[in-house]
Amino acid sequence: MASRILRWLRSALFAAIFYTMTVFFVSAAWVAALFSDAALRRVVSGWGRFHRRACHIILGQKVQIIGDLPQEPILYIFKHESMFETIDLLCLFDHPVVVAKQELIDIPFWGAIAKRHGVIGLRREDGAKAVRHLKAEAIKAVQSGRPICLFPEGTRVPHGEMPSIKAGFAAVYHLLGLAVVPVAVNSGLVSPRNSFVKSPGTISYKVGEVIPAGLPRKEAEARVHAAINALNG
């Protein structure tokens, strides 16, 4: 009982500090964007580092990376268990491009900055228009040397669950013709989906073997699915 109360208090303190500082960082990002993209990137990167530091100091959460994350303009496919990894991408990569639901870009004030930084918003119902938009933005990212990150499950899933890969992965994989690095994540153990209370512990990223471009859809999906669920034993 005492342990749960302590976790709740730490979680409340984290929420108060993190969301207050997020307002500050978003405001700073708007100011930085008036000067240059480089200034904007520094502010956004600072937000990511602040988030990881706050998780460590306040919540007692540590991060370990099993394997090597190549810093190249290729396609990274992540398991998605909590909000943690969506922000922590800013610590894993230098200026990553993230493919996300358009609803996130539609968030007032925050969405415009996310788009300017490089988040690619997709509205599934737009069909071919969405595909053309993705291809154009992804080509720009690759040409500028930026990694592209995708969460193929479409939403956060509880730790231990292994839903099928969404059809969007195959579309992106064949559209871009890029090699894939799959990454397993177990953040749901300490930051469960839809739970306010977070726990201390270690969040692991396990980097899978590179999956070459051009594989048949079923083979590519099977290899990605197995790799991103490697920490769900």
Side-chain angles (χ1 to χ4, degrees):
M1 181 66 178
S3 176
R4 180 166 179 80
I5 291 174
L6 179 59
R7 291 200 304 272
W8 191 93
L9 290 173
R10 293 173 78 169
S11 299
L13 178 61
F14 170 80
I17 292 176
F18 173 69
Y19 288 108
T20 298
M21 289 301 295
T22 292
V23 172
F24 165 78
F25 275 106
V26 172
S27 301
W30 273 94
V31 174
L34 298 175
F35 294 92
S36 68
D37 286 342
L40 172 62
R41 290 197 296 269
R42 285 194 292 271
V43 173
V44 174
S45 178
W47 179 58
R49 293 194 303 272
F50 167 76
H51 170 258
R52 183 185 279 196
R53 192 68 174 161
C55 288
H56 177 61
I57 294 174
I58 302 172
L59 299 175
Q61 296 177 349
K62 300 178 182 179
V63 173
Q64 70 167 350
I65 300 175
I66 305 169
D68 296 318
L69 272 173
Q71 300 289 319
E72 300 174 24
I74 53 182
L75 183 59
Y76 294 86
I77 303 297
F78 280 79
K79 181 72 177 177
H80 195 13
E81 294 190 352
S82 78
M83 184 182 74
F84 179 88
E85 57 268 12
T86 60
I87 301 174
D88 202 55
L89 290 177
L90 298 169
C91 295
L92 298 177
F93 302 105
D94 180 22
H95 200 202
V97 170
V98 182
V99 181
K101 295 181 291 187
Q102 180 63 35
E103 288 87 341
L104 295 176
I105 305 299
D106 292 338
I107 296 174
F109 199 53
W110 184 89
I113 285 297
K115 183 177 180 180
R116 172 79 178 268
H117 184 265
V119 174
I120 302 175
L122 287 184
R123 204 184 303 275
R124 294 189 183 115
E125 59 269 24
D126 285 350
K129 179 181 177 182
V131 171
R132 289 194 299 270
H133 171 66
L134 170 61
K135 184 175 182 179
E137 294 301 314
I139 287 174
K140 282 193 233 175
V142 172
Q143 289 176 342
S144 61
R146 299 174 65 181
I148 300 173
C149 302
L150 176 69
F151 298 99
E153 292 160 319
T155 188
R156 292 170 292 175
V157 299
H159 182 76
E161 291 191 9
M162 298 181 283
S164 299
I165 299 294
K166 298 289 186 183
F169 160 70
V172 173
Y173 174 67
H174 288 296
L175 180 69
L176 301 183
L178 295 175
V180 170
V181 175
V183 184
V185 186
N186 65 354
S187 57
L189 288 172
V190 295
S191 295
R193 175 177 178 252
N194 298 330
S195 175
F196 175 76
V197 178
K198 306 179 189 302
S199 303
T202 299
I203 295 172
S204 299
Y205 295 100
K206 185 173 183 180
V207 185
E209 294 183 3
V210 177
I211 298 171
L215 295 179
R217 173 177 175 171
K218 288 186 178 180
E219 181 180 352
E221 287 182 339
R223 291 177 64 169
V224 165
H225 187 266
I228 67 172
N229 287 292
L231 296 175
N232 280 293

